[in-house]
Amino acid sequence: NRLYEQLEGGCVPLVVEAFGPGEAEVGTTLLEGDEAVQVTRAAFAPLRNVTGEPPPWVTVAYTGELPDALAPLVADGRARDELQRRNLRWWSAAKAHFATAFRDAACPA
């Protein structure tokens, strides 16, 4: 998973929570289904600290939700462009947020 490289490149991540957060998060046991959804949400929860909202990614719990989530973006290029702009703004804010958090943790006042 190269999430941060995707973000830096201007991509809008597509997250299917039922696929789980990845082996690194859960050791060597892959999760699927409802359990994976909950663990994935917990893994991404700190990203809400950036703006108080979840990142502006295309996020669904299960693959069956993808057609409805993607249809507006497929139908309207302006909607895709706006989502990408929101994502770029969020990524810029995220980098600043976490740089400050790391600095404050490493060099407390």
Side-chain angles (χ1 to χ4, degrees):
N1 186 342
R2 301 282 178 108
L3 177 62
Y4 301 117
E5 289 177 358
Q6 294 171 24
L7 292 164
E8 193 66 23
C11 297
V12 175
L14 189 153
V15 177
V16 178
E17 296 168 327
F19 290 165
E23 278 188 73
E25 177 67 20
V26 294
T28 58
T29 304
L30 296 176
L31 297 177
E32 295 178 352
D34 293 340
E35 185 180 9
V37 169
Q38 296 306 315
V39 173
T40 301
R41 289 179 182 170
F44 284 136
L47 299 179
R48 287 179 168 265
N49 294 333
V50 173
T51 63
E53 299 288 330
W57 303 343
V58 177
T59 303
V60 297
Y62 301 96
T63 56
E65 300 167 14
L66 284 170
D68 288 340
L70 295 173
L73 301 172
V74 170
D76 184 356
R78 291 176 299 196
R80 285 191 308 273
D81 291 343
E82 178 54 30
L83 180 58
Q84 184 180 37
R85 280 191 292 277
R86 288 179 43 227
N87 195 61
L88 289 167
R89 285 192 302 269
W90 181 87
W91 179 233
S92 180
K95 290 187 290 186
H97 169 80
F98 288 110
T100 299
F102 294 142
R103 182 200 65 218
D104 292 351
C107 305

